[in-house]
Amino acid sequence: MKNLVSALVYTALSLGAITVGTAAHADLAAAAQMREGDMKKLVFHATPQDTSNAEFFLADDAGTTTLENYRGKYVLLNFWATWCAPCRVEMPHLSELQTEFGGDDFEVLTIATGRNSPTGIKKFFEEIGIDNLPRHQDPKQALASQMAIFGLPITVLIDPEGKEVARLRGDADWASDNAKAIIETILARAPS
């Protein structure tokens, strides 16, 4: 019975609950079926959603940018803050995911939203041993606001076309075997 239910859900996802206009979106349907544990909180959208064109600040006073500059790859966008206890637990998992999958097709993008001093962000990363994730900031929460980020942490999966395809509210073990299998499935047909 469980296999029948899984097959029916997969068929429903394949036929329209997730847009499958491209092979990459078909992989999203397959990834949605794989969710276990913390990844059950990863909600795939029925259709890809627009993101924001709001600027955010690059680390170390390197200027500003927008999500537009990340097109062409999958981006796991994590909104966090230095005062957020679950963020402290989650960040090493995101770091491990970046180490394993980061490259031309995938990137973990971390943005401290709200009141987070650059010094506090550096200290946060140093204390938990993170050296491979960006320390970008959204101090006035322009990006977070336009993307309906309420509460932290929230992680958004953005496809290579710059559309939000999934969202996870709260912290998660992004270094789990299940999370890695989901990312691997999504990247199976990522543009090269």
Side-chain angles (χ1 to χ4, degrees), residues 157-170:
L157 180 63
I158 300 172
D159 72 9
E161 289 81 40
K163 300 285 189 176
E164 179 179 332
V165 293
R167 180 177 289 224
L168 189 146
R169 296 182 189 280

Side-chain angles (χ1 to χ4, degrees), residues 108-126:
V108 175
L109 178 63
T110 54
I111 300 180
T113 189
R115 297 180 185 176
N116 300 278
S117 73
T119 302
I121 294 170
K122 280 184 182 179
K123 182 179 176 187
F124 180 98
F125 274 48
E126 287 170 4

Side-chain angles (χ1 to χ4, degrees), residues 18-37:
I18 292 177
T19 302
V20 291
T22 66
H25 289 134
D27 290 337
L28 291 176
Q33 291 306 301
M34 300 171 65
R35 297 170 297 154
E36 298 173 356

Side-chain angles (χ1 to χ4, degrees), residues 121-153:
I121 294 170
K122 280 184 182 179
K123 182 179 176 187
F124 180 98
F125 274 48
E126 287 170 4
E127 287 175 356
I128 58 176
I130 304 298
D131 61 5
N132 66 336
L133 295 176
R135 299 182 325 272
H136 302 326
Q137 291 181 262
D138 181 26
K140 295 189 179 183
Q141 299 177 319
L143 179 63
S145 174
Q146 287 185 18
M147 291 189 63
I149 303 300
F150 305 108
L152 296 174

Side-chain angles (χ1 to χ4, degrees), residues 31-114:
Q33 291 306 301
M34 300 171 65
R35 297 170 297 154
E36 298 173 356
D38 283 351
M39 290 297 107
K40 286 184 179 181
K41 298 186 289 186
L42 182 62
V43 177
F44 286 84
H45 304 309
T47 56
Q49 300 177 6
D50 290 334
T51 56
S52 168
N53 62 357
E55 290 186 334
F56 56 92
F57 293 92
L58 296 169
D60 303 321
D61 296 320
T64 62
T65 193
T66 66
L67 293 176
E68 181 69 26
N69 288 319
Y70 293 87
R71 282 197 177 204
K73 65 170 80 177
Y74 279 97
V75 174
L76 194 68
L77 172 58
N78 179 261
F79 290 92
W80 69 282
T82 56
W83 49 261
C84 167
C87 299
R88 183 172 291 273
V89 172
E90 180 179 54
M91 196 66 70
H93 302 302
L94 292 165
S95 175
E96 186 174 329
L97 202 63
Q98 175 65 19
T99 296
E100 188 162 336
F101 294 101
D104 292 339
D105 295 331
F106 178 80
E107 182 173 348
V108 175
L109 178 63
T110 54
I111 300 180
T113 189

